Amino acid sequence: GFSIPEIRDIVRGRDLVAIFEEKSRELEAQASDISRQLSSIRHYLAAFEKEKLMTYQIVLKELPRAFVYSLRTVVPSYDSYFDLMPKTGAALAAVNPELACVDDPPYCFVKYHDGEYRERDIDIELCEEVTGPGNGKLPEGMEFKWIERVPQAACVLHKGPYSLLSAAYAAVFRWIEDNGFVPSDYPRESYIDGIWNKEKDEDWLTELQVPIRRERD
């Protein structure tokens, strides 16, 4: 698997250890990419074998590092979001009108510290990516923080009301288990379309993102 230039370097007496270390890193990166592709293909093949249309298609991707404002709280139900999110935005604007959210693309998400889907008394962290701290002020109970990069996450798009998200959770966690992965952090719900830009809840679009790692890691 060595290239002609690499073979030439070996013949000319270049440090063999350095050459093999470089080749090892290159092959490890290739193996990781191939593993992700195989996982997706096996998932699709399993669905085809069952001769049924896949409602949810799982995609593996990286979640980039993001600077966000964050609010950790417990809400009684999903319906609480319709009150919590507008109030949070209004409170922020009152103390920090200079604060600007990232809009290309926007990234507003809820991180679930329960670690699983719940319908009542949900421990959440509301986060929205911002371009900077504005004037640095935040309402009490909120903070600015970096959300670190996630090398690999199993993601699935859910179109429809939040009350039906349990089906998306079931699909993605089944895929994670079937393909030899385990969750490496709390799941997130990224809100792409919702009540702020769609009249009907059947048009709301949410991406469920679950950071993962190989079970043996």
Side-chain angles (χ1 to χ4, degrees):
F2 286 93
S3 67
I4 297 299
E6 287 169 334
I7 295 171
R8 188 181 297 116
D9 286 342
I10 293 172
V11 172
R12 289 175 177 172
R14 185 182 165 195
D15 183 2
L16 287 175
V17 172
I19 290 175
F20 279 107
E21 285 178 343
E22 288 178 8
K23 179 58 68 174
S24 176
R25 288 191 292 269
E26 177 186 327
L27 291 174
E28 286 173 356
Q30 292 176 5
S32 178
D33 288 340
I34 291 171
S35 176
R36 286 195 293 269
Q37 294 173 34
L38 280 172
S39 294
S40 295
I41 288 171
R42 286 169 182 158
H43 175 58
Y44 298 141
L45 285 174
F48 297 151
E49 288 171 3
K50 293 177 182 177
E51 297 182 350
K52 67 179 182 180
L53 181 66
M54 293 175 57
T55 304
Y56 291 106
Q57 294 190 357
I58 313 302
V59 175
L60 295 182
K61 67 180 184 181
E62 174 186 319
L63 305 180
R65 192 171 186 246
F67 183 70
V68 304
Y69 70 76
S70 163
L71 172 65
R72 179 81 177 269
T73 187
V74 174
V75 295
S77 69
Y78 272 97
D79 290 340
S80 305
Y81 292 177
F82 302 122
D83 183 54
L84 174 66
M85 292 182 178
K87 281 187 175 179
T88 300
L92 274 169
V95 300
N96 194 342
E98 293 91 347
L99 188 66
C101 296
V102 170
D103 59 6
D104 189 25
Y107 190 27
C108 176
F109 63 94
V110 163
K111 191 172 184 180
Y112 286 87
H113 288 267
D114 295 303
E116 60 184 1
Y117 178 81
R118 290 173 60 101
E119 293 185 353
R120 307 294 304 176
D121 300 325
I122 313 163
D123 184 359
I124 70 167
E125 183 178 0
L126 172 61
C127 300
E128 183 153 7
E129 188 174 10
V130 290
T131 57
N135 63 18
K137 297 179 181 178
L138 283 174
E140 185 177 355
M142 301 182 66
E143 64 175 330
F144 289 115
K145 64 188 293 185
W146 281 100
I147 300 291
E148 293 303 324
R149 166 184 169 270
V150 173
Q152 192 168 225
C155 303
V156 62
L157 289 171
H158 168 78
K159 192 167 186 179
Y162 303 142
S163 59
L164 300 180
L165 269 166
S166 58
Y169 274 88
V172 74
F173 278 102
R174 186 184 309 114
W175 185 94
I176 289 170
E177 181 178 356
D178 289 348
N179 288 276
F181 291 96
V182 292
S184 60
D185 197 1
Y186 298 117
R188 308 176 188 178
E189 288 172 10
S190 174
Y191 305 107
I192 301 168
D193 292 316
I195 194 171
W196 57 92
N197 66 343
K198 298 294 182 181
E199 292 184 2
K200 299 178 179 179
D201 61 7
E202 63 193 47
D203 294 325
W204 297 354
L205 186 62
T206 306
E207 184 176 61
L208 175 58
Q209 304 170 336
V210 184
I212 56 173
R213 62 175 175 80
R214 279 290 179 188
E215 190 169 12
R216 63 179 179 270
D217 293 347

